[in-house]
Amino acid sequence: MVWHPKSARAREQTALLEWYGEQWRYVGGGSGAVNDPANADVIEIRGGGGVLSLTRSLDQPHSIATAPWIACALIDLGRDVGHLHIGNRKINAPESRKLVAVWTSPQVSRGARPVVVALGYDGTELSRMGPHDSLDTRTWDRLREG
């Protein structure tokens, strides 16, 4: 969940919620400066975070040691992006050109996000970012050419 208050000094508020026991539980969150997605060429991952799932610690005999990691990334998209593949999920690009991708993983791999692939409206691959990449492949290609 992301909240964008309308103010000159607005900050995005991101809350991570987890479904457990027929209700949503708050597990973490944060805030940051509001960013204009119009600056994104293809894919720009500009933030994110993660928390340890609390629900596994409530289920005995499970413990915090076996609890999954819940992670998210705030992603801005360029105008040519029709949809994304994030891991094995296909997500249509929202009109706002901004989205929050969320996934779970074992704690040991908590620093890695799924592969993010931006596809055009015709289905052609525009760019991609691997689990530890800070820039997408299209940006790397432009840097090499320049």
Side-chain angles (χ1 to χ4, degrees):
M1 173 171 56
V2 178
W3 174 54
H4 297 274
K6 300 199 186 275
S7 162
R9 294 180 289 169
R11 304 205 27 104
E12 290 179 333
Q13 306 290 320
T14 305
L16 288 174
L17 305 171
E18 184 175 27
W19 183 255
Y20 180 76
E22 302 299 317
Q23 65 181 355
W24 289 103
R25 294 179 186 254
Y26 174 81
V27 291
S31 68
V34 175
N35 189 36
D36 182 5
N39 297 331
D41 182 29
V42 180
I43 309 169
E44 184 177 324
I45 296 180
R46 57 181 182 83
V51 295
L52 192 59
S53 170
L54 297 177
T55 59
R56 286 294 294 262
S57 64
L58 300 174
D59 291 335
Q60 297 302 326
H62 302 293
S63 71
I64 288 180
T66 61
W69 187 252
I70 302 169
C72 71
L74 286 75
I75 303 174
D76 290 345
L77 304 173
R79 287 276 161 215
D80 296 334
V81 178
H83 60 274
L84 291 177
H85 282 187
I86 301 176
N88 60 0
R89 293 180 292 163
K90 180 180 177 181
I91 300 170
N92 290 332
E95 281 187 44
S96 67
R97 314 314 294 170
K98 301 172 90 152
L99 65 94
V100 178
V102 181
W103 62 92
T104 60
S105 64
Q107 287 185 56
V108 295
S109 61
R110 67 181 178 208
R113 70 174 168 267
V115 173
V116 178
V117 180
L119 300 164
Y121 291 97
D122 63 357
T124 60
E125 183 174 319
L126 302 175
S127 193
R128 70 174 46 225
M129 291 182 79
H132 301 286
D133 293 342
S134 56
L135 295 175
D136 65 291
T137 55
R138 186 165 171 179
T139 301
W140 277 117
D141 290 345
R142 287 185 176 175
L143 289 171
R144 286 184 197 105
E145 291 171 2

